[in-house]
Amino acid sequence: MNLEVFRRRIREYCRPTGYSQKMLAHELGLQPTALSNKLNGTGETSLKHTEAKQIIKILADWEALSTRAEAVELLELVNLKENSFTPVEWNRPPLNKLEAAPPALKPPPAPRAATESGHKTGVVNPPAPASPPEEASNGFSTEPLHNLPVLLTPLIGRERQTAEVIGLLSRAEVRLLTLTGPGGVGKTRLAMQVATEIPKKFAGEVFFVPLATVSDSALVLSAIAGALSIREAGSQGLLEMIKIFLRQRRALLVLDNFEQILLAAGLLKGLLEELPGLKMLVTSRARLQLYGEYEYCVPPLALPDPAFLRTPALEVEQLAAFEAIALFVARARAARPGFKLTPQNAGTVVEICRRLDGLPLALELAAARVRMMSPEQILIRLEHSLDLLGQGPLDLPARQQTLRALIDWSFDLLEPGEKALMVQLAVFVGGCDLEAAEAICLPENATGQSTMLDKLAGLVDKSMLQMAESEPDAPLRFKMLAILREYALEKLQAGGTDKAVRDRHAAYFLSLTVQAEVALASRQQKDWLDRLETEHDNFRAALGWALKTGNSALALGLVSRLAWFWDAHGHLSEGRNWLKQALHLCHQPASEDMSPEPGEPLLELRAKALNAAGNLARKQDDSAEAVNLLKESLALRRRLGQPREIAQTLNNLGVVAYHMGDLKLAQHYYEESLALKYRLGDKRSIGLSLNNLGEVARETGELNRAIELFEEGLALLRAAGDSQNTAGVLLNLGVACGEQGDYGRSALLLTESLELLSRLGDKFHMAETLEQLAILASKQERLEIVARLDGAAGKLRQEISAPLSESYRASYEQEIAKAQDRLDPRLWQDYREGGQRMDLQEAISFVKAAFGS
């Protein structure tokens, strides 16, 4: 580098504009002496290429350079080529027309020196000189300053957050606002954008105070003074000089990265109390815990939810509008200019962004890998994302160049108890509530609810844990970002407590299924189905642990009790897969089995799991497999002498026979089951058998008898509070009324069933109910309704992998074909596609409007 000529050229270009080398130092975030040493080639740190590029860009923004040739000359003096700039920075028309950086914010002139008597005078505002002096004798710079960092790339997304933060700062009562969030979420970038835009709303000056390298609370004053270009002079201390400088000004201090110096929060409080025109915007992973502090939690970038991704004819442009995807694509293009979001790679890009929780730093690091990998390769390697997301831009602080370093920094700031809790919380997948955290984490140190709450609150305050949104009366739920959880899992495995924590986790969720089994047969059914759905990922983790450790009793205990939930919420394929693996495990040598059941626990659990597996096989129209599984279950239950369970399996065999079209065999099984239930006096189970016998009567043409049986069974199930089976009987009764010609009652019953099933999340029976409503509409010659409901039901069956059964398919398709033949093919297709586009709530609203409910 020819620094001597480079330095002289900078001075020549700046002189006519009124800007100085000191101002250039402030633009770069450096002390003037540091920049002078770099340009003179003295001192320990030489001028970096990135700093030289930034200097040239600042000169262009100041319009100190008037031709491209001048810029090229400067580049060559520091051994850079013109094309070393990225297109965003340099690929522009004439140099003097370069798109300006955010408008320079000029701080006010410095106050005059104290009078001879020692009393401090007010602030004066002399005009800015054309050639400002280097420094006044009291240590205050008399130059107009602009110390906001230069933004080399545009902010992607965050328009709403920027507006909300500016709106908060514009309110008179908000004088201290802290932007909180985990490392890498973009707090600093958002704060800089706010600092750039807020002069439009805030008639004052803005000063940026970088604190990332400050680890001693005592040095915060020096950092603030440096941002204000104040140096100690004479007997006055920095604190007093800062107060003099700010006393009669409207000013906003942007204090970036405060989390490691929280002990200095009292200093900020003192400044705010004494300086009425001062406001502060602070970025920190933890709240400052000051009275009057407002907090704004910076969220990850927006992602499409799964329901949106299932929208038919989804366009790439719609996906590109989401913030996380837009950032990934922009940074991928910087790494590989030809990169595009296409229909072929869009799904993979979306999954990458979802795996990384929309965390901006993680997205940027992943996108940089596009230079060497395809999106598919990146996604595969994201299983170990902390290793993949390595080196980032060299001009970032060292702790932000890799995600691991950034999380290390955050983790080191935690208290010992918080560290231990965070590591153990990593065992949860999808989060946990307070009850689960108390049961599983830190049992050896647990001293009561307040201790656990305090530690959880500490992790939330320091942005290592998030409080998930929930219903007002629901228990608080805590979640960890996927990247943080991966980091904590590594710590858990390295610490040697992994097995003990996972065992406690599995035992807790096994006990939850025991409670659920009782509650699912009561009026609490919906609440417990919802709770099981909320904890589904934790159940998956417990099952995975059971299979990995060969714990057959744990695996069978979980699958046999979760089967009803999988059935009700349409997780049929997944449920069958877990049941198959758990049943296979019974033939393997078991390890330390948790066996809460009496008698012969493994045989009882195996019989229960076989019964559940048979039910799910029947739901997926695998009747032969269902019969085999249920007969094996029945044999085991007869051997164990369990009359209640025998009656249950006999009933299920009857259901399979009914769907295979063997009504005589179905009736035989139902009646044998009902006889056992009468002896047991189980009214709820009797109601189920009466319903099933009603189905047989309806199929044999005995409609009056069928309706009587349905109504008797319905009364028993309503009295028992069994919402799920009540919905099933409403469906059957509605069908029978429709076949009897009572279309009005049929519509009311089917609509009631649909709404109840929707509240329970029972997608399988919702699909069947939509189909029966379509048949009812067909009988009434309401062809558009038929087409739309057929489309909605077909989409739902496809989502849950539950095809029409063989016996049901023929009659249903025959009825739908009659309606289709009576309507123009193009209209039929349009209406059916419209039904496919409806979500479940839209389908219910459509039904209620169509049938006048």
Side-chain angles (χ1 to χ4, degrees):
M1 292 186 180
N2 192 336
L3 288 179
E4 180 179 352
V5 178
F6 185 77
R7 182 177 69 251
R8 188 167 64 247
R9 288 283 188 271
I10 291 172
R11 191 180 302 116
E12 290 170 358
Y13 291 135
C14 285
R15 189 176 295 121
T17 67
Y19 290 94
S20 69
Q21 184 172 308
K22 181 175 286 188
M23 295 170 67
L24 184 60
H26 284 294
E27 290 275 12
L28 293 165
L30 298 171
Q31 292 294 332
T33 53
L35 178 60
S36 178
N37 288 339
K38 286 175 179 286
L39 292 174
N40 289 325
T42 59
E44 297 179 359
T45 307
S46 59
L47 186 71
K48 299 177 182 176
H49 282 109
T50 53
E51 292 167 335
K53 287 166 56 178
Q54 200 170 354
I55 288 171
I56 297 168
K57 185 178 184 302
I58 292 168
L59 294 178
D61 290 337
W62 285 349
E63 297 186 351
L65 303 177
S66 57
T67 67
R68 182 177 296 275
E70 291 172 344
V72 172
E73 180 196 20
L74 288 177
L75 287 167
E76 291 174 348
L77 289 172
V78 289
N79 301 331
L80 288 170
K81 296 181 180 179
E82 182 177 353
N83 63 7
S84 66
F85 280 81
T86 66
V88 171
E89 296 170 315
W90 195 247
N91 189 18
R92 302 174 182 176
L95 188 62
N96 59 359
K97 299 298 182 184
L98 287 179
E99 177 182 339
L105 301 177
K106 311 282 176 105
R112 297 177 61 182
T115 61
E116 290 182 359
S117 63
H119 297 292
K120 302 174 182 65
T121 65
V123 178
V124 295
N125 292 302
S131 301
E134 287 294 306
E135 191 174 344
S137 60
N138 66 351
F140 293 118
S141 168
T142 59
E143 298 175 355
L145 302 177
H146 161 36
N147 80 329
L148 290 177
V150 177
L151 306 178
L152 296 180
T153 57
L155 182 63
I156 293 176
R158 298 298 195 199
E159 289 85 0
R160 180 175 63 83
Q161 289 84 10
T162 301
E164 288 175 348
V165 173
I166 290 175
L168 284 168
L169 288 170
S170 300
R171 289 162 50 183
E173 72 274 18
V174 180
R175 299 191 55 218
L176 172 62
L177 178 60
T178 305
L179 304 184
T180 61
V185 82
K187 301 182 295 294
T188 296
R189 188 63 180 83
L190 176 60
M192 289 196 294
Q193 191 69 25
V194 168
T196 299
E197 295 186 19
I198 201 170
K200 303 168 188 175
K201 298 277 185 181
F202 177 74
E205 296 100 14
V206 183
F207 301 93
F208 187 81
V209 184
L211 297 168
T213 59
V214 178
S215 56
D216 186 345
S217 299
L219 299 178
V220 174
L221 269 180
S222 298
I224 295 174
L228 302 178
S229 196
I230 294 172
R231 279 173 45 193
E232 286 185 275
S235 60
Q236 285 183 325
L238 278 180
L239 180 58
E240 282 304 308
M241 297 180 76
I242 289 170
K243 291 177 183 178
I244 293 171
F245 185 85
L246 295 173
R247 182 156 288 132
Q248 294 185 12
R249 286 175 163 80
R250 284 175 54 79
L252 173 68
L253 290 187
V254 181
L255 298 120
D256 186 44
N257 291 109
F258 208 85
E259 57 270 359
Q260 76 278 9
I261 44 172
L262 290 175
L263 292 176
L267 166 66
L268 306 189
K269 178 183 177 183
L271 289 173
L272 288 167
E273 288 175 345
E274 291 195 38
L275 303 169
L278 178 63
K279 293 196 176 202
M280 294 182 183
L281 177 63
V282 180
T283 73
S284 175
R285 273 161 244 176
R287 295 182 66 232
L288 308 190
Q289 305 290 351
L290 294 178
Y291 181 76
E293 175 185 17
Y294 285 73
E295 181 182 11
Y296 186 92
C297 296
V298 180
L301 294 176
L303 287 161
D305 61 35
F308 180 84
L309 295 174
R310 291 194 294 268
T311 303
L314 184 63
E315 298 290 340
V316 166
E317 290 75 15
Q318 293 174 280
L319 291 174
F322 285 90
E323 296 172 343
I325 298 169
L327 178 63
F328 181 90
V329 171
R331 298 300 179 259
R333 283 176 181 162
R336 181 186 287 180
F339 181 84
K340 292 180 181 179
L341 190 68
T342 67
Q344 290 72 38
N345 68 20
T348 304
V349 170
V350 170
E351 186 57 26
I352 289 171
C353 296
R354 290 178 62 81
R355 289 275 189 95
L356 298 175
D357 285 318
L359 199 65
L361 179 59
L363 293 172
E364 297 213 17
L365 294 173
R369 297 297 185 183
V370 169
R371 181 182 291 110
M372 303 293 293
M373 298 180 188
S374 69
E376 291 77 10
Q377 291 171 316
I378 293 173
L379 181 58
I380 291 169
R381 287 162 176 79
L382 275 180
E383 185 177 345
H384 305 290
S385 48
L386 289 174
D387 297 323
L388 174 71
L389 306 180
Q391 188 70 48
L394 295 175
D395 55 350
L396 287 176
R399 62 185 174 82
Q400 291 187 358
Q401 289 182 25
T402 72
L403 207 55
R404 186 181 296 279
L406 187 63
I407 300 172
D408 277 335
W409 166 274
S410 301
F411 188 77
D412 288 343
L413 295 175
L414 299 178
E415 299 295 330
E418 293 169 344
K419 289 180 180 179
L421 178 57
M422 178 180 169
V423 166
Q424 295 193 51
L425 286 172
V427 76
F428 292 102
V429 187
C432 67
D433 56 22
L434 176 61
E435 176 188 302
E438 288 180 322
I440 295 165
C441 300
L442 307 172
E444 65 277 4
N445 298 323
T447 58
Q449 187 178 23
S450 60
T451 300
M452 178 60 72
L453 269 177
D454 289 343
K455 288 184 173 67
L456 288 168
L459 291 173
V460 171
D461 286 342
K462 294 170 183 175
S463 302
M464 301 302 273
L465 203 61
Q466 297 175 315
M467 282 198 299
E469 293 184 8
S470 60
E471 295 297 324
D473 296 330
L476 287 176
R477 193 162 183 85
F478 303 91
K479 297 185 72 173
M480 201 180 295
L481 290 176
I483 291 292
L484 296 179
R485 180 174 177 270
E486 179 184 334
Y487 176 89
L489 274 177
E490 289 182 3
K491 296 280 187 184
L492 180 65
Q493 292 161 359
T497 60
D498 184 36
K499 183 181 185 303
V501 176
R502 289 187 183 276
D503 281 345
R504 293 197 296 269
H505 176 272
Y508 175 83
F509 284 100
L510 175 64
S511 71
L512 203 61
T513 65
V514 175
Q515 299 174 58
E517 187 173 34
V518 176
L520 286 173
S522 73
R523 298 183 187 278
Q524 298 176 291
Q525 191 175 83
K526 179 186 182 304
D527 293 339
W528 273 88
L529 283 172
D530 290 344
R531 184 173 183 184
L532 295 179
E533 186 67 65
T534 298
E535 300 291 4
H536 200 180
D537 285 330
N538 279 311
F539 287 121
R540 289 168 174 141
L543 279 165
W545 180 247
L547 295 173
K548 180 178 180 179
T549 56
N551 192 332
S552 53
L554 172 61
L556 288 171
L558 286 166
V559 296
S560 61
R561 297 188 182 94
L562 287 171
W564 191 0
F565 157 69
W566 286 324
D567 181 353
H569 277 207
H571 305 295
L572 305 182
S573 296
E574 179 178 355
R576 288 187 70 186
N577 182 52
W578 285 120
L579 281 156
K580 180 178 179 180
Q581 292 184 74
L583 287 165
H584 177 72
L585 192 63
C586 289
H587 300 295
Q588 309 301 319
S591 65
E592 308 166 28
D593 288 335
M594 287 177 255
S595 305
E597 288 77 12
E600 300 181 57
L602 281 180
L603 284 181
E604 291 177 7
L605 287 172
R606 180 173 175 80
K608 193 172 187 175
L610 286 164
N611 180 75
N615 281 341
L616 293 187
R618 193 268 303 169
K619 287 287 181 72
Q620 292 195 299
D621 202 30
D622 191 350
S623 297
E625 176 71 4
V627 169
N628 291 334
L629 291 165
L630 290 169
K631 284 187 173 180
E632 186 178 351
S633 173
L634 181 62
L636 280 174
R637 286 178 161 179
R638 290 192 191 280
R639 170 181 164 184
L640 293 165
Q642 300 174 307
R644 188 179 305 274
E645 287 74 16
I646 291 167
Q648 181 189 59
T649 305
L650 284 168
N651 181 78
N652 293 337
L653 279 164
V655 173
V656 178
Y658 172 83
H659 282 277
M660 293 175 72
D662 192 339
L663 298 181
K664 185 176 180 180
L665 181 61
Q667 185 167 349
H668 167 76
Y669 280 132
Y670 289 154
E671 289 176 345
E672 187 179 352
S673 174
L674 183 59
L676 280 172
K677 292 175 180 179
Y678 273 126
R679 288 202 292 272
L680 293 165
D682 187 343
K683 293 183 179 180
R684 173 183 167 275
S685 294
I686 292 169
L688 291 174
S689 287
L690 291 172
N691 169 69
N692 293 341
L693 285 167
E695 288 192 90
V696 173
R698 182 175 62 82
E699 287 292 333
T700 57
E702 301 174 77
L703 285 179
N704 290 332
R705 174 63 177 156
I707 289 173
E708 288 176 4
L709 289 166
F710 289 144
E711 289 176 337
E712 187 180 351
L714 181 62
L716 290 170
L717 290 166
R718 283 195 195 275
D722 186 343
S723 300
Q724 186 178 32
N725 286 306
T726 294
V729 182
L730 286 167
L731 167 60
N732 293 333
L733 183 56
V735 172
C737 289
E739 291 178 348
Q740 202 175 46
D742 190 349
Y743 297 155
R745 188 184 183 200
S746 176
L748 288 172
L749 291 165
L750 292 173
T751 303
E752 183 184 354
S753 174
L754 185 66
E755 290 188 285
L756 187 51
L757 291 166
S758 173
R759 289 197 292 272
L760 295 170
D762 187 340
K763 295 179 180 178
F764 179 87
H765 287 104
M766 281 187 75
E768 188 173 344
T769 307
L770 289 170
E771 288 157 357
Q772 290 301 328
L773 283 160
I775 291 172
L776 181 62
S778 177
K779 291 176 179 177
Q780 296 174 298
E781 297 286 329
R782 305 174 71 182
L783 306 181
E784 178 184 344
I785 295 173
V786 178
R788 291 187 185 277
L789 292 179
D790 180 58
K795 172 193 172 187
L796 191 52
R797 283 194 178 274
Q798 186 176 17
E799 284 181 3
I800 63 175
S801 301
L804 291 162
S805 66
E806 287 296 333
S807 60
Y808 177 44
R809 180 184 294 112
S811 60
Y812 175 71
E813 291 181 347
Q814 183 179 7
E815 190 66 45
I816 297 302
K818 292 178 186 176
Q820 186 173 359
D821 290 342
R822 296 195 295 269
L823 191 65
D824 179 271
R826 287 174 298 179
L827 281 177
W828 177 271
Q829 186 66 21
D830 288 344
Y831 292 149
R832 194 174 188 283
E833 288 178 356
Q836 290 175 324
R837 288 192 291 271
M838 291 191 293
D839 61 27
L840 293 179
Q841 289 309 309
E842 288 170 339
I844 292 171
S845 298
F846 177 77
V847 165
K848 293 173 75 173
F851 292 95
S853 301

